[in-house]
Amino acid sequence: MRQQKRRVGFRATAYLFTFVVILYVAVFMNTPYIVYQPGSASEVAPMIHVQNADKDEKGTFMMTTVSASYANVALLVASVFNSNSEVVRKETRLGNKTEQEYAAEQVYYMNSSQSFAVQAAYHAANIPYKDVVDYLYVFSVPATGNREQFSPGDKIISVEGQTIPDPDALSALLSRRKIGDPVAVLLQREGKEVKEEVKLVEVKNQETGAVKPGLGVVIGAVQKVKPEVEGKTVSFVDTDVGGPSAGLMFTMEIINQLTPGDLTKGHRVAGTGTIEADGNVGAIGGVKHKIVAADKKGAEIFFVPVKNYEEAKAKADQIGTDMKLIPVSTLAEALKYMQELPVKS
């Protein structure tokens, strides 16, 4: 009897151990893959605040996203049964970046996209503006840099108590110091202020070979666009979305609020595409997933960059959507289409 109980206990332990191992492999063990799927189609109006805005909007402009998940085994298995899933190796997305560096880069691209959208909208609405640096942003921290003090995604608020208006000003300030000197740096990280004492490291100019003191980080300047007339300031709420591909749809919504009338004409309008200050619309990635996301949210019209049109049309035909695809290469083309579109009854 005692021996039988031991056998039962051993089996129960073995079953439990096997279950834990399977659970770990399926859920927690990393794989070298990323799974792309349709993301969301979200109204952009709540993301944008325009002073003295014209709120006459019966329809909606929507930005579209792609869901990208670092895959565990369970997700890989599920993707086999999902016709809208796409599995790729991590390096096709990350290159030589870490996941944290890639995420920081995408946040920077989103902020830049918003700045370009405001510039393009002001230009279309004949509102004069100026472009100034808002803050300096940390893309990455090289192996030779100050990895204990900085993280990708940090905002540099001040150095030695001085607000830094642009990268040139930072370089000029640090040039008066020596390599190894400590400097006080105020950062913003995940919405909180962080004070660091940073020792300056050697930074070499790749073209000239000249050496100078630096913080040991790779930075970029995030721009702010200011109107030169009162009451037309545009600002954005924080989103959990990165990348530049919402630029066109941001611009359309800003113009709709800056100018009289309803540019949507009562329609549900989705789309994608980068935007430049001069109104040029650029290609993006993952358009086939964005087509599915827009269709699920009942979009009637989808603006797509010309270079992405064939892929978008192939996916639209595959899912049998009634959504009308409109290829554009400039903001002017998108505006012309909406202006000539009949009001939805």
Side-chain angles (χ1 to χ4, degrees):
M1 179 67 71
R2 185 176 299 173
Q3 188 174 6
Q4 184 177 2
K5 287 183 178 179
R6 285 177 180 173
R7 283 200 299 269
V8 171
F10 175 79
R11 286 175 185 167
T13 302
Y15 289 149
L16 179 61
F17 177 77
T18 301
F19 173 76
V20 170
V21 170
I22 292 172
L23 181 65
Y24 172 80
V25 169
V27 178
F28 298 105
M29 191 172 77
N30 291 327
T31 73
Y33 298 100
I34 292 174
V35 175
Y36 290 111
Q37 301 180 80
S40 62
S42 305
E43 296 184 15
V44 295
M47 305 176 190
I48 298 169
H49 179 261
V50 178
Q51 280 185 310
N52 302 310
D54 183 335
K55 295 292 188 179
D56 180 19
E57 186 171 282
K58 301 295 190 296
T60 184
F61 288 115
M62 295 181 284
M63 60 175 280
T64 50
T65 65
V66 178
S67 170
S69 304
Y70 295 105
N72 55 24
V73 174
L75 184 56
L76 285 177
V77 172
S79 68
V80 174
F81 303 97
N82 185 348
S83 61
N84 291 319
S85 290
E86 178 185 9
V87 180
V88 301
R89 294 190 66 87
K90 280 184 180 179
E91 57 262 30
T92 63
R93 173 183 171 99
L94 300 179
N96 59 359
K97 305 179 188 71
T98 66
E99 292 177 15
Q100 190 179 18
E101 288 171 344
Y102 180 84
E105 183 180 72
Q106 294 305 299
V107 171
Y108 177 83
Y109 287 151
M110 169 57 83
N111 290 334
S112 297
S113 174
Q114 292 172 347
S115 293
F116 286 138
V118 176
Q119 291 180 62
Y122 281 159
H123 181 74
N126 295 314
I127 296 173
Y129 65 88
K130 59 183 177 180
D131 193 19
V132 298
V133 174
D134 191 13
Y135 57 85
L136 300 184
Y137 185 83
V138 177
F139 275 111
S140 62
V141 188
T144 56
N146 288 300
R147 290 193 164 182
E148 292 185 2
Q149 283 81 33
F150 293 99
S151 295
D154 285 349
K155 296 179 182 180
I156 300 176
I157 306 303
S158 67
V159 177
E160 289 293 278
Q162 297 183 39
T163 301
I164 308 299
D166 55 52
D168 289 340
L170 176 62
S171 181
L173 173 64
L174 298 183
S175 68
R176 299 193 289 269
R177 305 301 178 99
K178 299 191 298 293
I179 294 169
D181 282 354
V183 294
V185 180
L186 179 63
L187 304 170
Q188 187 180 92
R189 181 179 301 154
E190 297 178 352
K192 298 179 180 179
E193 289 192 350
V194 177
K195 296 179 180 179
E196 296 284 2
E197 186 176 275
V198 178
K199 284 189 177 182
L200 299 181
V201 300
E202 177 182 296
V203 177
K204 181 179 290 187
N205 187 304
Q206 297 301 318
E207 295 180 1
T208 66
V211 172
K212 62 181 181 179
L215 297 177
V217 294
V218 178
I219 62 171
V222 175
Q223 305 296 121
K224 177 186 287 185
V225 185
K226 293 184 176 181
E228 295 184 331
V229 295
E230 293 293 330
K232 296 295 182 181
T233 299
V234 178
S235 58
F236 291 82
V237 302
D238 289 335
T239 66
D240 293 328
V241 180
S245 64
L248 174 61
M249 302 315 294
F250 282 148
T251 307
M252 299 289 280
E253 178 60 39
I254 295 168
I255 292 171
N256 197 27
Q257 294 191 35
L258 281 174
T259 57
D262 181 9
L263 189 59
T264 71
K265 304 290 184 67
H267 295 272
R268 294 181 62 79
V269 184
T272 187
T274 65
I275 195 73
E276 296 177 16
D278 61 5
N280 284 328
V281 175
I284 50 82
V287 71
K288 60 186 177 184
H289 302 298
K290 295 177 180 181
I291 289 291
V292 176
D295 180 63
K296 287 181 177 178
K297 279 298 183 78
E300 304 158 58
I301 298 163
F302 190 97
F303 285 112
V304 58
V306 168
K307 291 183 178 179
N308 296 119
Y309 178 73
E310 293 302 323
E311 181 185 354
K313 186 177 186 306
K315 190 63 178 182
D317 290 344
Q318 180 188 348
I319 65 175
T321 181
D322 293 328
M323 204 166 43
K324 188 170 184 180
L325 268 58
I326 309 300
V328 294
S329 58
T330 66
L331 171 63
E333 292 173 359
L335 291 175
K336 184 175 184 291
Y337 179 86
M338 293 306 302
Q339 288 160 356
E340 294 177 353
L341 189 69
V343 175
K344 186 176 180 180
S345 56

